[in-house]
Amino acid sequence: LSEKFVEVGKSRPPIFAPEVVKGSVLHTEDLRLPNMLYAKFLLSPYAHAKIKRIDTSAAERLPGVVSIITHKDVPKVKYNSSHVPDAMTRVDEYVLSDKARFIGDRLAAVAARDPDIAEEALELIDVDYEELPFVLDPKEAMKPDAPKIHEDVDNNIALHLTNAWGDVKKGFEEADLIFEDEYYTQAAHPIPLEPQTCVAYYKSGKVEIWTSNQVPHRVLPKLSRIFNMPQSKIRIYQPHIGGAFGNKCGLSLEPVAILLSMKSGAPVMMELTGEEMFLTTSPRHPSFTKLKIGVKKDGTIISKEVKTVLDTGAYVSHGTGVLSAAVYSSFGITSLYKCPNHKMDGYCVYTNKVPSGAFRGYGNPQVTFPLESMLDTIAEELGLDPMDLRLKNAVREGDVDPISKIVIESCGLQECARRASDAIGWKMKRGIEEKGKGVGTAWLMLTSGVHPIMDETCGAFVKIFSDGTVVVTMSAPDLGQGIMTTVAQIAAEELGVSVKDVSVTRADTNQPVNRGTWASGTLYFTGQAVRLAAADARSQLLKKAAEILEVRAENLRIESGKIVAGEEPKKSASFEEVMKEVEGGEIIGKATYVPSVSSHIFGVVCAEVEVDVETGEVNPIQVVYAHDIGRAINPAIVKGQIEGSIIQGLGYALTECLVWGKRGEMLNRTFVDYKILTSRDVPKLVPILVETKDKTGPYDAKGVGEPPIMAIAPAIANAIYDAVGIRIKEIPITPEKVLEKIREKKSRT
Amino acid sequence: LSEKFVEVGKSRPPIFAPEVVKGSVLHTEDLRLPNMLYAKFLLSPYAHAKIKRIDTSAAERLPGVVSIITHKDVPKVKYNSSHVPDAMTRVDEYVLSDKARFIGDRLAAVAARDPDIAEEALELIDVDYEELPFVLDPKEAMKPDAPKIHEDVDNNIALHLTNAWGDVKKGFEEADLIFEDEYYTQAAHPIPLEPQTCVAYYKSGKVEIWTSNQVPHRVLPKLSRIFNMPQSKIRIYQPHIGGAFGNKCGLSLEPVAILLSMKSGAPVMMELTGEEMFLTTSPRHPSFTKLKIGVKKDGTIISKEVKTVLDTGAYVSHGTGVLSAAVYSSFGITSLYKCPNHKMDGYCVYTNKVPSGAFRGYGNPQVTFPLESMLDTIAEELGLDPMDLRLKNAVREGDVDPISKIVIESCGLQECARRASDAIGWKMKRGIEEKGKGVGTAWLMLTSGVHPIMDETCGAFVKIFSDGTVVVTMSAPDLGQGIMTTVAQIAAEELGVSVKDVSVTRADTNQPVNRGTWASGTLYFTGQAVRLAAADARSQLLKKAAEILEVRAENLRIESGKIVAGEEPKKSASFEEVMKEVEGGEIIGKATYVPSVSSHIFGVVCAEVEVDVETGEVNPIQVVYAHDIGRAINPAIVKGQIEGSIIQGLGYALTECLVWGKRGEMLNRTFVDYKILTSRDVPKLVPILVETKDKTGPYDAKGVGEPPIMAIAPAIANAIYDAVGIRIKEIPITPEKVLEKIREKKSRT
């Protein structure tokens, strides 16, 4: 019975799809308030410099300029710009910087009657800089004589985390073979199409904020702390968001907009340009990883040692979160393959570059690339099929995850591997020499659930109107990924109504708390809150129906929009008939979901590529991705998420890379110079859904937003190896790197 | 202990006072949406006419015109524009009229790129009218040969209600004296300073509406019915409202704005001009009342017969509500003075004038003027002090109200009378001939509580943030009267926090239901919902504190922002300490208040006037008003309400009156020609609060918004009689009427 779902499992179009297509959704930048001012940042032209003097008087005299703020105006409260609570991470930022730490560091902000005037005013701000030596490379930055970026930090190491079990030294002694190598990943930018935008309006001790933000409820206490304002006097609304991918997962424009509004008494809009998005907002942490793996001859992994260095740029921001994720989470590097002896060291290092931040995958791609690359090297050395090596070592249902110490409730890895292999024709294609073509695989793991430092609690309301239609109040921002649609399906399923009759609110910090949209956990957590709230509404409804039908509530069920008791002849009442008897004409279900469980999420990528040995160009032919989804609440949305994540993963693997010049200036800060893939670049994509019915999730669902991107790069690298026998250990895999390796290989043979 | 309040009883300034003063509150007309259109109405130039043809083609060709609608485009669903559910009243309106029934009837609407283009387009709409005979006077309208305004209604009587007890015929036979007279009240306009304004944006089967509306939750089901849309797909937001006084208590612009938005695909703003407010929105029902009272020689009232005719204008709208209120509510005319034999007939009659509607007092002023005028006539005839006559007959605590059948829980009438008399110097001034000066009194009664036809249920949420500050979510529109402030005080009191740390939301139909703002019941109902929700939040907080402090929750109390157990040495925890242990960092209290009680509200007006016998001018010297408030949650706000209501009452008594010309055209439709009082016209006002601690209300409070206006006119009329011995039975009491009566009196003597 419980499997006969009406709404769950159906591919409903996203709730706001028609509006997105027609361009009628309202983004933050569509907001117009009376007397609204437009603000612009003054950005540092130096990678590292003392601000000896900053004089805004000439700029203030420009007609149309209303307010200018510099570091002299900002609250003397340091904060962390990520979604991690300030008390749980390093704090090293002020609303505006008192010292320039990268080219693009925010030094002042101007609010003016129009954006052009604000822009013009920037040029009138007179700054005396004292240039300081700077460092761009994290390896250099860790040296004792490197320039000191933050006074209180030695060797520019913002954070060092370790995690270990077993005895790696003994493990390596017992190993038959030991593999050791270094891998590099680059700074790729999430660059959503909607730039970061924020409007703040402060008046009478209260501030209202409209912002394209993934985590409104998490930035609220930060703003409260920075401005020493009661949380109840700050209200954050979330208009429609045009993509985020991690880029909007924390504080960015909000404190500046608030401060300008406080100073001017007017509402203030800040909207970044495309160039400012690149220059001042966060790319994925570049990394280098030393990986050492010891195996038995049969392929059993026996010891593993990992040292990862993440380049956090000028401020720590998400550095704590990303490094913790890499070291302490149930990722591929830690949990996917059983290994009795494990040691991992992670470093988060300051450099004079734009701060790194959150980006789909959040620490996982950086360590999955080394691991999944090396596994192929091991398989080759041992003469094993890379699939078999992985299968042999991979965790299974019932195993205890060494990180979370939780039993793995469900694991679809084996089926993912089988179906991905079948779909790509693994057995036919692998190891076959054919005109530069090859296939490769890479596997991935992550987890959603109880978190060591983050509170994942989510609340929701489900209201039934007097006509029996429903509104879900919840505050998980929909970034385009479809949470508004899937929670509508969950509420509809729970209440036995049509999803067409369900509306869903956008985030608002006056609404029940929400952990925000990140880490592929939005549905896993919010979906449960909505399901519980709907169940609460349902039970209130049935209680009232029981009074009317004069039966016991537990004997009632909902069948195609009616409340029904018994067998034929049935007693029944419509929603409207029952609601007519409810005082006030509405029922509100309420729930707070406090997670006490975790789900382990698995996926298998198989990629087929063609390598042009003359030009070095890598042409992906197809990407198959099999994902353990638990249950797909909305298969079309799940497949859309998978396809988007694969495409972003292909960009990460092949083309996307921020490049800095000698002065520390970002060289490719436009969509022309920074190459994200377009629809013309997309190969055949084959998303495969494996349902394992994980009991911990809402209707047994697991997360999906991030996974594919985590393992696309190693799968491509492994396919290239299969195609032309070269091993690239540094992404993106550009034609230059491929050609160089091909030349190297030729010169060796 | 329970009397030691911290926030309740304090005169806190209104929450949004600084914003109102600075002009930074956001009204509906401040909203700007992308591609927003501006709409204007085509109004009928005839009082009664068939529309033989309406041709919009020329107007449609005007550049900038986007959509035009006429009666041909509107849903064929009749509705009632008041806040009374359609099923409980007569429905006789379409979104636009198919036949003109008054000058100003809405026949078409144009949406254009700017308001000027819309205005211009109106002139290009070509209408063929067939003029019909019309009727402006309700007495004429009730005649059999009068023009028929609605096809299905005979004699233009939209509604006839009666209520009776005892045997009036027998009562009059037993009476020693019988008094009989006719009284007239005029069409006065509530004319709030903010005109009616609405923005609607329909897209993807969903509509969002921003509107200056007193009853968002009540118009929602009406819109759902008109447009056959799920209630969950309609969301109504309430920006700051600049006064209403009943004028915004129902549907007005919303259906037209929605229809234009549906047709154009763009957001549509409608904002009435001052002239349109007069021409097309509702004044108070003009009335005439035949009143007959029989008394014993000692002044005991023994029989009463009332016939009231209300002129509802072209549509019934609030006619059902206002007539029901006059006939079936515990008003002065029915319940204030004990009377064993009572009969009341009420008629609601169509005429070809703008529909009448809700206005502070809602049926009560129309019947209080006759009653309180006649009581003075009776007192004079019997040689009694008018105060004594009233005191002798008035109800007291413990009496059963003949209308509600409920025991009167509290009655401050005697104290009101005593304190008002003392304040004005009744004994010194009454009956003393002094240069045209005189004093008069009038008493009033109304009720808040369980309603025979309206569901008064109200819900609320109270959320405690992790820093211990609070937001109240409730949907009673604040029209300026202070409900946001008083519920903040109630939540603060219940939770033991400072009112400075409490925020309050504006109305939103996604929030818990609210009965809306009308009938002096906003605080009485919503205040209870907020108090219960705060109590729910408090008990959750204390439960968590009990765990932390290891005591029983029932032994905990809140003392100056801390949760405290026992005597010295106290165990205690701050809100923040407790909230830190709450998953999700928030507590949400929830309540739905379903009223099962009523409070009876009383007041005594004493007015002192000076009459210039040469010019007929009446100059009010002072107005004392003593009000049985139960308890004043915020005495300054209560006094503000009383003062506003007195001033509006003086306008009703002396100057305000809509006048129609021979064609049925409204002659005085501007603020220049329609005379509302200004601050320069205001005499000395003496508000007196009598606290009776009515257990049924929130912290024992009763309502206050409307009362004074109900009895100002008769108090002034009675004072004029005391001053110069003339009795005016028709308001407003203009110099012309006074002079005429003075001349009549002179000619008699």
Side-chain angles (χ1 to χ4, degrees):
Chain A
L1 181 79
S2 69
E3 293 283 316
K4 283 164 65 187
F5 295 125
V6 176
E7 290 294 348
V8 160
K10 297 292 187 305
S11 288
R12 303 295 181 205
I15 266 187
F16 45 61
E19 291 177 55
V20 171
V21 171
K22 291 187 215 158
S24 63
V25 286
L26 297 178
H27 292 94
T28 303
E29 70 111 25
D30 291 315
L31 196 68
R32 292 293 175 276
L33 295 173
N35 304 315
M36 193 166 76
L37 305 177
Y38 296 82
K40 291 278 175 189
F41 284 115
L42 177 72
L43 304 179
S44 169
Y46 297 108
H48 203 188
K50 254 190 207 148
I51 294 147
K52 292 172 66 183
R53 191 180 58 84
I54 185 161
D55 178 1
T56 58
S57 55
E60 275 158 18
R61 285 193 299 271
L62 185 69
V65 169
V66 179
S67 293
I68 302 184
I69 52 170
T70 70
H71 69 87
K72 291 180 270 187
D73 302 289
V74 307
K76 297 301 170 238
V77 176
K78 278 186 183 171
Y79 64 93
N80 175 284
S81 59
S82 81
H83 64 324
V84 179
D86 285 343
M88 296 173 181
T89 179
R90 182 170 158 75
V91 293
D92 58 12
E93 290 185 66
Y94 289 114
V95 176
L96 293 169
S97 302
D98 51 354
K99 175 188 164 191
R101 291 182 175 87
F102 71 99
I103 292 180
D105 210 351
R106 294 162 181 178
L107 304 182
V110 177
R113 299 268 166 240
D114 73 49
D116 292 342
I117 296 173
E119 196 79 48
E120 200 185 330
L122 294 179
E123 297 179 22
L124 299 174
I125 299 176
D126 190 20
V127 191
D128 270 4
Y129 297 97
E130 180 189 328
E131 286 186 67
L132 299 171
F134 59 88
V135 60
L136 304 178
D137 180 77
K139 281 184 181 167
E140 295 299 319
M142 291 165 85
K143 290 182 179 165
D145 56 346
K148 209 168 177 136
I149 299 174
H150 290 269
E151 283 313 304
D152 58 340
V153 174
D154 291 330
N155 302 321
N156 292 312
I157 297 174
L159 189 66
H160 173 208
L161 300 176
T162 63
N163 195 10
W165 57 85
D167 181 338
V168 287
K169 192 161 167 276
K170 194 159 152 274
F172 286 120
E173 284 164 12
E174 290 167 10
D176 294 325
L177 286 98
I178 293 175
F179 297 80
E180 196 165 2
D181 224 326
E182 282 193 20
Y183 302 84
Y184 293 81
T185 70
Q186 79 279 34
H189 204 289
I191 199 73
L193 284 184
E194 184 210 11
Q196 290 185 7
T197 318
C198 173
V199 173
Y201 194 5
Y202 176 88
K203 43 183 180 170
S204 311
K206 207 178 160 206
V207 66
E208 290 184 288
I209 303 156
W210 295 259
T211 179
S212 58
N213 194 301
Q214 299 176 232
V215 286
H217 281 83
R218 295 204 183 267
V219 300
L220 180 77
K222 288 183 187 261
L223 291 172
S224 164
R225 191 178 149 261
I226 294 168
F227 292 103
N228 192 27
M229 279 176 72
Q231 291 184 27
S232 62
K233 298 293 172 183
I234 302 170
R235 186 169 182 183
I236 305 175
Y237 307 91
Q238 173 247 312
H240 188 80
I241 293 178
F245 312 113
N247 183 263
K248 297 164 181 173
C249 190
L251 270 186
S252 178
L253 311 180
E254 296 85 356
V256 183
I258 292 170
L259 201 57
L260 282 170
S261 182
M262 283 175 164
K263 202 167 170 188
S264 64
V268 172
M269 173 177 281
M270 304 204 80
E271 185 182 13
L272 296 185
T273 63
E275 188 176 11
E276 287 167 339
M277 283 292 288
F278 281 107
L279 269 180
T280 73
T281 79
S282 295
R284 191 189 299 289
H285 290 74
S287 72
F288 72 89
T289 297
K290 277 191 183 175
L291 178 60
K292 186 177 172 185
I293 293 178
V295 292
K296 289 287 193 185
K297 273 185 195 148
D298 66 353
T300 307
I301 298 171
I302 185 164
S303 197
K304 175 164 84 252
E305 194 169 359
V306 194
K307 182 189 165 188
T308 290
V309 175
L310 299 179
D311 177 355
T312 196
Y315 300 98
V316 78
S317 188
H318 281 275
T320 306
V322 171
L323 190 67
S324 303
V327 177
Y328 295 137
S329 289
S330 308
F331 281 1
I333 194 76
T334 46
S335 299
L336 179 50
Y337 306 106
K338 281 170 274 192
C339 177
N341 306 294
H342 168 94
K343 180 168 190 290
M344 185 162 178
D345 269 81
Y347 296 86
C348 185
V349 177
Y350 286 122
T351 59
N352 290 111
K353 290 184 300 194
V354 63
S356 303
F359 185 0
R360 203 173 203 164
Y362 207 77
N364 200 318
Q366 288 99 324
V367 288
T368 297
F369 176 64
L371 174 69
E372 292 293 319
S373 294
M374 186 173 277
L375 286 180
D376 262 38
T377 305
I378 295 170
E380 191 189 25
E381 189 73 23
L382 295 177
L384 292 172
D385 182 308
M387 285 275 181
D388 293 339
L389 174 69
R390 286 176 172 85
L391 267 178
K392 181 181 182 66
N393 288 285
V395 289
R396 286 162 191 262
E397 207 171 294
D399 284 345
V400 174
D401 172 18
I403 292 284
S404 67
K405 318 286 189 225
I406 289 173
V407 172
I408 292 170
E409 170 81 25
S410 70
C411 175
L413 256 182
Q414 287 72 25
E415 194 182 342
C416 286
R418 185 178 57 71
R419 291 181 62 187
S421 300
D422 289 354
I424 203 143
W426 183 264
K427 296 235 160 84
M428 296 283 296
K429 291 175 180 166
R430 175 74 190 183
I432 310 301
E433 195 116 352
E434 187 209 350
K435 295 170 291 171
K437 280 189 180 174
V439 293
T441 192
W443 294 16
L444 65 89
M445 175 175 180
L446 78 157
T447 185
S448 297
V450 280
H451 198 285
I453 60 169
M454 302 284 273
D455 183 346
E456 304 277 22
T457 301
C458 291
F461 300 136
V462 168
K463 167 164 162 169
I464 307 176
F465 285 92
S466 62
D467 63 353
T469 63
V470 172
V471 65
V472 176
T473 296
M474 64 101 213
S475 285
D478 198 322
L479 317 175
Q481 89 283 25
I483 185 67
M484 287 170 74
T485 312
T486 44
V487 298
Q489 290 177 266
I490 287 174
E493 186 70 51
E494 199 65 36
L495 289 168
V497 301
S498 161
V499 75
K500 289 193 204 78
D501 287 337
V502 181
S503 284
V504 182
T505 63
R506 295 182 184 278
D508 171 347
T509 51
N510 270 5
Q511 293 176 179
V513 71
N514 192 282
R515 43 93 72 185
T517 296
W518 50 280
S520 308
T522 316
L523 177 67
Y524 187 70
F525 298 105
T526 309
Q528 290 288 40
V530 171
R531 189 178 183 179
L532 293 171
D536 181 28
R538 178 192 166 98
S539 88
Q540 293 178 51
L541 183 76
L542 295 188
K543 192 174 160 209
K544 181 57 79 172
E547 284 171 37
I548 295 166
L549 296 173
E550 296 176 332
V551 296
R552 292 158 61 101
E554 49 274 36
N555 295 336
L556 288 170
R557 61 191 186 279
I558 298 176
E559 267 178 19
S560 35
K562 286 200 153 221
I563 298 138
V564 177
E567 306 306 321
E568 305 297 340
K570 293 169 182 171
K571 270 187 172 180
S572 80
S574 71
F575 272 54
E576 282 190 80
E577 282 161 358
V578 179
M579 290 307 298
K580 206 180 290 174
E581 302 302 316
V582 176
E583 286 93 349
E586 77 181 15
I587 281 172
I588 298 182
K590 174 187 170 222
T592 303
Y593 175 62
V594 183
S596 61
V597 292
S598 290
S599 75
H600 297 86
I601 303 168
F602 304 92
V604 170
V605 179
C606 286
E608 182 176 12
V609 302
E610 182 168 23
V611 181
D612 185 326
V613 293
E614 301 302 321
T615 63
E617 259 188 294
V618 175
N619 178 30
I621 298 165
Q622 65 170 316
V623 179
V624 173
Y625 176 65
H627 183 73
D628 173 2
I629 187 65
R631 181 192 306 277
I633 304 290
N634 185 321
I637 284 180
V638 171
K639 287 181 181 171
Q641 282 282 68
I642 288 174
E643 290 179 356
S645 193
I646 293 174
I647 295 165
Q648 231 167 7
L650 288 170
Y652 189 52
L654 297 171
T655 64
E656 296 187 43
C657 185
L658 291 174
V659 183
W660 283 267
K662 279 189 187 146
R663 290 193 308 107
E665 76 279 21
M666 192 184 287
L667 294 175
N668 54 343
R669 56 209 205 206
T670 67
F671 280 108
V672 174
D673 296 320
Y674 181 87
K675 171 67 179 157
I676 59 169
L677 299 194
T678 67
S679 52
R680 286 183 21 179
D681 304 310
V682 176
K684 182 182 172 193
L685 304 179
V686 185
I688 295 168
L689 307 187
V690 171
E691 294 205 330
T692 52
K693 314 283 189 292
D694 192 284
K695 287 195 299 253
T696 69
Y699 286 96
D700 311 331
K702 297 185 186 182
V704 67
E706 300 170 294
I709 203 174
M710 299 169 176
I712 299 296
I716 294 286
N718 292 340
I720 291 170
Y721 190 88
D722 184 51
V724 294
I726 60 163
R727 169 63 54 195
I728 311 270
K729 297 173 197 160
E730 183 182 348
I731 50 172
I733 305 173
T734 58
E736 293 79 4
K737 290 178 194 166
V738 171
L739 271 187
E740 196 192 315
K741 286 280 179 187
I742 287 173
R743 282 193 203 110
E744 258 178 43
K745 193 188 168 199
K746 277 190 186 148
S747 68
R748 276 204 308 270
T749 54
Chain B
L1 181 79
S2 69
E3 293 284 316
K4 282 166 67 189
F5 296 126
V6 176
E7 290 295 349
V8 160
K10 297 291 188 301
S11 288
R12 303 294 181 204
I15 266 188
F16 44 61
E19 291 177 54
V20 172
V21 171
K22 290 187 215 159
S24 62
V25 285
L26 297 178
H27 292 94
T28 303
E29 70 110 26
D30 291 315
L31 196 68
R32 292 293 175 275
L33 295 174
N35 305 314
M36 193 166 78
L37 306 177
Y38 297 81
K40 290 278 174 189
F41 284 115
L42 177 72
L43 304 179
S44 168
Y46 297 108
H48 203 189
K50 255 191 210 152
I51 295 150
K52 293 173 64 184
R53 191 179 58 84
I54 185 161
D55 179 0
T56 58
S57 55
E60 274 157 20
R61 285 193 299 271
L62 184 70
V65 168
V66 179
S67 293
I68 302 184
I69 53 171
T70 71
H71 67 87
K72 291 180 270 187
D73 302 288
V74 307
K76 297 299 169 242
V77 176
K78 278 188 183 169
Y79 64 92
N80 175 284
S81 59
S82 82
H83 64 325
V84 179
D86 285 342
M88 295 173 181
T89 179
R90 181 170 160 76
V91 294
D92 57 13
E93 290 185 66
Y94 290 114
V95 176
L96 293 170
S97 302
D98 52 354
K99 175 188 164 192
R101 291 183 176 85
F102 70 100
I103 292 180
D105 209 350
R106 295 160 181 180
L107 305 181
V110 177
R113 299 267 165 243
D114 73 48
D116 291 343
I117 295 173
E119 194 78 48
E120 199 184 331
L122 294 179
E123 297 179 23
L124 300 174
I125 299 175
D126 189 20
V127 191
D128 270 4
Y129 297 96
E130 179 189 328
E131 286 185 66
L132 299 172
F134 59 87
V135 60
L136 304 177
D137 180 77
K139 282 182 181 168
E140 296 298 319
M142 291 166 85
K143 290 181 179 165
D145 56 345
K148 211 169 177 134
I149 299 174
H150 291 268
E151 283 312 305
D152 59 339
V153 174
D154 290 329
N155 302 320
N156 292 312
I157 297 175
L159 189 67
H160 173 208
L161 300 176
T162 62
N163 195 11
W165 58 82
D167 181 336
V168 287
K169 190 161 168 277
K170 196 161 150 272
F172 285 120
E173 284 164 13
E174 290 168 10
D176 295 324
L177 286 97
I178 294 174
F179 298 80
E180 197 165 2
D181 224 327
E182 283 194 22
Y183 301 86
Y184 294 81
T185 70
Q186 79 281 34
H189 206 288
I191 200 72
L193 284 185
E194 182 210 13
Q196 290 186 8
T197 318
C198 172
V199 174
Y201 194 5
Y202 176 89
K203 43 182 181 171
S204 309
K206 209 179 159 206
V207 66
E208 290 185 288
I209 302 155
W210 294 259
T211 179
S212 58
N213 194 302
Q214 298 176 233
V215 286
H217 280 83
R218 296 205 183 264
V219 300
L220 181 78
K222 287 182 186 262
L223 292 171
S224 165
R225 190 177 150 261
I226 295 169
F227 292 103
N228 193 26
M229 281 177 70
Q231 290 183 25
S232 62
K233 299 293 173 182
I234 301 169
R235 186 169 181 183
I236 305 174
Y237 306 91
Q238 173 247 313
H240 188 80
I241 293 179
F245 312 113
N247 183 263
K248 297 163 180 173
C249 190
L251 271 185
S252 178
L253 311 180
E254 296 85 357
V256 184
I258 292 170
L259 200 57
L260 283 170
S261 181
M262 283 176 163
K263 199 165 174 190
S264 64
V268 173
M269 174 176 281
M270 304 204 80
E271 185 182 11
L272 296 185
T273 62
E275 188 176 9
E276 286 166 339
M277 284 292 288
F278 281 107
L279 269 181
T280 74
T281 78
S282 295
R284 189 189 299 288
H285 289 74
S287 71
F288 73 87
T289 297
K290 276 191 183 174
L291 179 60
K292 186 176 172 187
I293 294 179
V295 292
K296 289 285 193 187
K297 273 187 195 148
D298 67 353
T300 308
I301 298 171
I302 185 162
S303 196
K304 176 164 80 250
E305 194 169 359
V306 194
K307 182 188 165 189
T308 291
V309 175
L310 299 179
D311 177 355
T312 196
Y315 300 99
V316 77
S317 187
H318 281 275
T320 306
V322 171
L323 190 66
S324 303
V327 177
Y328 296 137
S329 289
S330 309
F331 281 2
I333 195 75
T334 46
S335 299
L336 178 49
Y337 306 105
K338 281 171 277 192
C339 177
N341 306 293
H342 168 95
K343 180 166 191 289
M344 186 162 177
D345 268 82
Y347 296 86
C348 185
V349 177
Y350 286 123
T351 59
N352 291 111
K353 290 184 298 191
V354 63
S356 303
F359 185 178
R360 202 173 206 164
Y362 207 78
N364 200 318
Q366 287 98 325
V367 287
T368 298
F369 176 64
L371 174 69
E372 293 293 319
S373 294
M374 186 174 277
L375 286 181
D376 262 37
T377 304
I378 296 170
E380 191 191 24
E381 189 74 22
L382 296 176
L384 293 172
D385 183 308
M387 285 274 180
D388 293 337
L389 174 70
R390 287 176 172 84
L391 268 178
K392 180 180 183 68
N393 288 284
V395 289
R396 287 163 191 260
E397 207 171 293
D399 284 345
V400 174
D401 172 17
I403 292 282
S404 66
K405 317 286 189 226
I406 290 173
V407 172
I408 293 169
E409 171 82 26
S410 69
C411 175
L413 257 182
Q414 288 71 24
E415 193 182 342
C416 286
R418 185 179 55 72
R419 290 182 61 188
S421 301
D422 288 354
I424 203 143
W426 182 265
K427 296 235 161 87
M428 295 284 295
K429 292 175 181 167
R430 175 75 190 181
I432 310 301
E433 196 115 350
E434 188 208 350
K435 296 170 290 172
K437 281 189 180 173
V439 294
T441 191
W443 295 15
L444 64 89
M445 174 176 181
L446 79 158
T447 185
S448 298
V450 281
H451 198 284
I453 59 168
M454 303 283 274
D455 182 346
E456 304 277 22
T457 301
C458 290
F461 300 137
V462 168
K463 168 164 162 170
I464 308 176
F465 286 91
S466 62
D467 64 353
T469 64
V470 172
V471 64
V472 175
T473 297
M474 64 102 212
S475 285
D478 197 322
L479 318 176
Q481 89 282 25
I483 185 67
M484 289 171 73
T485 311
T486 44
V487 297
Q489 289 177 268
I490 287 174
E493 185 70 51
E494 199 65 37
L495 289 168
V497 302
S498 161
V499 76
K500 288 193 202 77
D501 287 337
V502 181
S503 283
V504 181
T505 63
R506 293 181 187 279
D508 171 348
T509 51
N510 271 4
Q511 294 176 180
V513 71
N514 192 281
R515 44 91 74 185
T517 296
W518 49 279
S520 308
T522 317
L523 176 67
Y524 187 71
F525 298 105
T526 308
Q528 289 289 38
V530 170
R531 188 178 183 180
L532 293 171
D536 181 28
R538 178 193 165 99
S539 89
Q540 294 178 51
L541 183 77
L542 296 188
K543 193 176 159 209
K544 180 57 80 173
E547 284 171 39
I548 294 166
L549 297 173
E550 297 176 331
V551 295
R552 293 159 61 100
E554 51 273 36
N555 295 335
L556 288 170
R557 62 193 185 278
I558 298 175
E559 268 179 19
S560 35
K562 287 198 153 219
I563 298 138
V564 177
E567 305 307 321
E568 304 298 340
K570 293 169 181 171
K571 270 187 172 181
S572 80
S574 71
F575 272 54
E576 282 190 80
E577 283 160 359
V578 178
M579 290 306 298
K580 207 180 290 173
E581 302 302 316
V582 176
E583 287 93 348
E586 77 182 15
I587 282 172
I588 298 182
K590 173 187 171 224
T592 303
Y593 175 63
V594 183
S596 61
V597 292
S598 291
S599 75
H600 297 88
I601 304 168
F602 303 91
V604 170
V605 179
C606 286
E608 182 176 9
V609 302
E610 184 169 20
V611 181
D612 185 325
V613 293
E614 301 301 322
T615 64
E617 258 188 297
V618 175
N619 178 31
I621 298 166
Q622 65 170 319
V623 179
V624 173
Y625 176 65
H627 183 73
D628 173 2
I629 188 66
R631 181 192 305 278
I633 304 290
N634 185 321
I637 283 180
V638 171
K639 287 180 182 174
Q641 281 282 67
I642 288 174
E643 290 178 357
S645 194
I646 293 174
I647 295 166
Q648 232 168 7
L650 288 170
Y652 188 53
L654 297 171
T655 64
E656 296 187 43
C657 183
L658 291 174
V659 183
W660 283 267
K662 281 189 188 147
R663 291 191 309 105
E665 76 279 22
M666 192 184 287
L667 295 174
N668 53 344
R669 56 212 206 204
T670 67
F671 280 108
V672 174
D673 295 321
Y674 181 87
K675 171 66 179 160
I676 59 170
L677 299 194
T678 67
S679 53
R680 287 183 19 179
D681 304 310
V682 177
K684 181 182 173 193
L685 304 179
V686 185
I688 296 169
L689 307 188
V690 170
E691 295 204 330
T692 52
K693 313 283 189 290
D694 192 284
K695 286 194 301 254
T696 68
Y699 287 95
D700 313 330
K702 298 184 186 182
V704 67
E706 300 170 294
I709 203 175
M710 299 170 176
I712 299 297
I716 294 286
N718 292 340
I720 292 170
Y721 191 88
D722 184 51
V724 292
I726 60 164
R727 169 63 53 194
I728 312 267
K729 297 172 198 162
E730 182 182 350
I731 51 174
I733 304 172
T734 58
E736 292 79 5
K737 292 179 195 166
V738 172
L739 272 187
E740 196 190 315
K741 285 280 180 189
I742 287 172
R743 281 191 204 114
E744 260 179 41
K745 194 190 167 197
K746 276 189 186 150
S747 69
R748 277 203 307 272
T749 54

